[in-house]
Amino acid sequence: MSLRKSDSTGSTRLTTRPARNHGDVATFFDSCASQYAEQHGDAQQLLDYRLGLLRSGANLTAADEVLEIGCGNGLHLLALASDYGRGLGIDLSPRMVDAASQRSSETPWADKTSFAVDSAETLSTIADASVDVALCVGSLEHMLDQGAVLNSAFRVLRPGGRLVCLTLNGASLWYRYLAPALSVDTRQLSTDHYLSEAELEHLVAAAGFEQSLFDHWTFIQRGDMPRSIAVLSDGLDRLGDACRIGFFRGGLRVRAIKSSSA
Ligand SMILES: C[S@@+](CC[C@H](N)C(=O)[O-])C[C@H]1O[C@@H](n2cnc3c(N)ncnc32)[C@H](O)[C@@H]1O
């Protein structure tokens, strides 16, 4: 999902939209909501892959109340609905929330899923210690105060609750070194911030989570990059996966647990 322009070779380049505040972020994602679609590869394959990462990270049960923070059009939360008891999605963008509610109404899961406009930083519609699992998929990198997001996730989780977040690896060879060297701005919004594992680890611990595990996943920015860049990222990812070199990999996953005594 991104704004695109053609370069002289006819391939597409990301256009980074200036943003300063939540209003700008919401306006941008509102503008994407009606044509929101996977641009980084085969949609079903990527969805299945991410669902696998979320399932293995969250160990969902039929009793779980699951919150997706920055849920967009509800794609992941609805696709996981057979695994949990109740699903809530929040998003800053009213149009994304409308799209998610509409999608939900077309599934058998309408009675057990709901969506609301809220900011991830405050989660003002969610009570303290009220959810078992908090998911955040491809959204943390767009959030303006990532420390506040993790603090709020910790607040709304019950003791023993699990956080699973899939985000981008800001300290990877591509995002930290190659993209700047090639003058490729990979951000959709000027406020986007791709955390390093060390930064994310610090924020997760500062929020109060006692146990956390970090690993890498395949994220290759294809739809909004020249094909040569996607081929390069693909090669780095395969090498990083085979040789277990996180520095070569574009995606970062954190799984964290709120202590049962918290
Ligand atoms: C790239 S989309 C991902 C949506 C969804 N998780 C998915 O994977 O399909 C990022 C979403 O994060 C939302 N978002 C960005 N900043 C937010 C914030 N501070 N609070 C809540 N939602 C936010 C955007 O409105 C957008 O819908």
Side-chain angles (χ1 to χ4, degrees):
M1 182 181 57
S2 56
L3 296 176
R4 299 201 255 172
K5 65 184 177 197
S6 290
D7 67 14
S8 55
T9 66
S11 61
T12 53
R13 303 294 298 253
L14 182 69
T15 301
T16 302
R17 172 81 68 91
R20 283 161 305 174
N21 51 38
H22 273 168
D24 295 338
V25 176
T27 300
F28 172 72
F29 284 106
D30 272 350
S31 74
C32 302
S34 62
Q35 80 277 10
Y36 183 79
E38 184 61 65
Q39 292 192 3
H40 304 301
D42 180 87
Q44 192 59 49
Q45 223 173 312
L46 289 178
L47 177 62
D48 290 344
Y49 173 60
R50 289 180 194 142
L51 294 178
L53 293 167
L54 295 171
R55 286 194 173 104
S56 65
N59 296 318
L60 298 172
T61 74
D64 281 335
E65 193 149 344
V66 176
L67 168 69
E68 186 179 353
I69 302 171
C71 62
N73 66 9
L75 178 70
H76 294 95
L77 193 64
L78 289 167
L80 289 169
S82 59
D83 296 30
Y84 56 71
R86 174 142 193 80
L88 312 163
I90 70 91
D91 200 285
L92 205 54
S93 153
R95 291 212 180 146
M96 284 290 189
V97 169
D98 287 347
S101 303
Q102 178 61 36
R103 282 172 80 99
S104 165
S105 72
E106 293 160 5
T107 71
W109 315 117
D111 289 347
K112 69 170 187 176
T113 51
S114 55
F115 297 89
V117 176
D118 200 349
S119 104
E121 284 84 350
T122 58
L123 295 180
S124 58
T125 59
I126 314 288
D128 294 359
S130 62
V131 303
D132 302 291
V133 175
L135 304 176
C136 190
V137 187
S139 297
L140 187 67
E141 57 270 24
H142 301 297
M143 293 171 177
L144 299 185
D145 186 342
Q146 293 156 328
V149 174
L150 292 163
N151 291 343
S152 291
F154 185 82
R155 174 182 67 75
V156 302
L157 280 169
R158 297 194 170 100
R162 293 93 78 199
L163 167 75
V164 182
C165 176
L166 302 182
T167 186
L168 305 190
N169 180 11
S172 62
L173 176 61
W174 168 244
Y175 287 113
R176 172 134 320 159
Y177 299 103
L178 292 182
L182 296 169
S183 303
V184 175
D185 192 340
T186 59
R187 298 168 304 166
Q188 293 183 308
L189 291 163
S190 60
T191 44
D192 287 352
H193 178 60
Y194 306 161
L195 292 163
S196 66
E197 182 174 332
E199 286 174 309
L200 187 52
E201 190 170 7
H202 171 74
L203 294 181
V204 165
F209 291 96
E210 282 176 4
Q211 302 169 41
S212 55
L213 278 174
F214 295 82
D215 57 9
H216 297 93
W217 59 288
T218 299
F219 179 79
I220 295 164
Q221 213 165 341
R222 285 180 210 281
D224 37 24
M225 287 289 153
R227 192 169 307 133
S228 53
I229 300 285
V231 169
L232 175 66
S233 305
D234 213 2
L236 282 175
D237 183 74
R238 282 167 199 265
L239 186 62
D241 195 16
C243 304
R244 298 186 172 276
I245 305 172
F247 180 52
F248 288 172
R249 308 205 62 202
L252 181 61
R253 174 173 73 162
V254 59
R255 291 168 279 170
I257 297 183
K258 177 171 176 173
S259 154
S260 39
S261 56

